[in-house]
Amino acid sequence: DAGVTQSPTHLIKTRGQQVTLRCSPISGHKSVSWYQQVLGQGPQFIFQYYEKEERGRGNFPDRFSARQFPNYSSELNVNALLLGDSALYLCASSLYPGQNSPLHFGNGTRLTVT
Amino acid sequence: AQKITQTQPGMFVQEKEAVTLDCTYDTSDPSYGLFWYKQPSSGEMIFLIYQGSYDQQNATEGRYSLNFQKARKSANLVISASQLGDSAMYFCAMREMSAGGTSYGKLTFGQGTILTVHP
């Protein structure tokens, strides 16, 4: 079975531009989360979607938005990019957002903002 | 205050030896889950093991076991018989289930421990 797939794998953007990152969850998983991982740190929670509704939001500015589609895939959008947005963006899926449902992560999208 | 603390920035272990990676957590939520993930240099986060706050026994998954001491709020990962392929960054994470609201389902990660296995 395919794992969580993310595209693109790498991306270089200029300050002020907009970017869209894509994620396909494991088949049957209805919950998708997005995390930002800056070099040398642990991942930071951005969003969680379950059954196509936003269920959780981390401490990120409104420049960050996301959505989940009827097939449970998801997109993360970042507007007005800043140098500090350079990071590895990880998408994770789980069966449900419950306590004992582990997140299964994709390989991530490495975003570089110049 | 840090919710997840991993005090060992780096650890070294000899191949075939056991190693313990430390993790302490801070929560007032009675219902929570603790997770360990492995992140090789390729970047993928690989789920290793889970421990629920109400679980009576320590979790085990193959060569991985979790030393859960609830009163001390620690959830150390023990890797037995280390292999060269175990060299990676290891993250401890927590999910608090009663928090609800905007934190629903979120995992909070520690800073990670880099494990290097020597031949």
Side-chain angles (χ1 to χ4, degrees):
Chain A
D1 285 342
V4 177
T5 57
Q6 291 186 244
S7 63
T9 54
H10 294 83
L11 207 50
I12 299 174
K13 290 285 188 177
T14 305
R15 275 178 299 176
Q17 287 187 316
Q18 175 264 340
V19 67
T20 298
L21 311 181
R22 295 177 175 82
C23 172
S24 293
I26 292 172
S27 178
H29 285 193
K30 298 181 179 180
S31 178
V32 171
S33 302
W34 287 95
Y35 287 78
Q36 180 197 65
Q37 187 178 19
V38 174
L39 194 63
Q41 297 184 17
Q44 297 289 317
F45 173 72
I46 310 176
F47 284 110
Q48 180 178 55
Y49 279 79
Y50 179 59
E51 291 282 15
K52 293 156 280 184
E53 291 187 6
E54 181 184 305
R55 298 299 186 99
R57 172 184 285 259
N59 189 23
F60 281 80
D62 292 344
R63 299 185 296 106
F64 288 76
S65 64
R67 55 181 175 169
Q68 188 176 32
F69 298 100
N71 66 353
Y72 301 107
S73 67
S74 178
E75 285 182 352
L76 175 70
N77 294 285
V78 187
N79 294 323
L81 285 167
L82 303 174
L83 295 179
D85 296 331
S86 295
L88 179 67
Y89 287 85
L90 294 163
C91 174
S93 75
S94 61
L95 279 170
Y96 54 92
Q99 174 181 315
N100 61 348
S101 182
L103 297 185
H104 297 271
F105 286 84
N107 288 343
T109 294
R110 192 165 297 279
L111 172 64
T112 302
V113 182
T114 62
Chain B
Q2 291 278 3
K3 293 232 175 191
I4 296 285
T5 303
Q6 295 181 252
T7 57
Q8 307 154 315
M11 287 286 286
F12 295 89
V13 66
Q14 206 72 25
E15 193 178 9
K16 300 180 185 177
E17 297 291 313
V19 64
T20 297
L21 305 183
D22 294 342
C23 172
T24 57
Y25 59 92
D26 181 26
T27 182
S28 57
D29 193 332
S31 178
Y32 55 90
L34 297 159
F35 302 80
W36 276 91
Y37 284 85
K38 170 185 177 181
Q39 188 175 41
S41 56
S42 59
E44 183 185 4
M45 296 284 282
I46 302 167
F47 166 69
L48 297 177
I49 197 166
Y50 161 82
Q51 179 84 43
S53 58
Y54 295 116
D55 293 344
Q56 295 297 313
Q57 297 199 341
N58 288 341
T60 59
E61 289 286 349
R63 294 187 299 110
Y64 304 107
S65 60
L66 201 153
N67 184 2
F68 181 47
Q69 297 187 49
K70 192 170 182 177
R72 299 175 69 176
K73 293 188 176 178
S74 76
N76 299 338
L77 177 69
V78 181
I79 305 174
S80 63
S82 296
Q83 301 172 357
L84 296 178
D86 293 335
S87 293
M89 176 75 89
Y90 288 81
F91 289 100
C92 179
M94 176 174 65
R95 176 186 282 145
E96 297 163 287
M97 288 316 298
S98 301
T102 59
S103 298
Y104 184 73
K106 123 184 185 183
L107 277 186
T108 301
F109 286 81
Q111 292 288 89
T113 296
I114 300 175
L115 176 66
T116 304
V117 181
H118 288 303

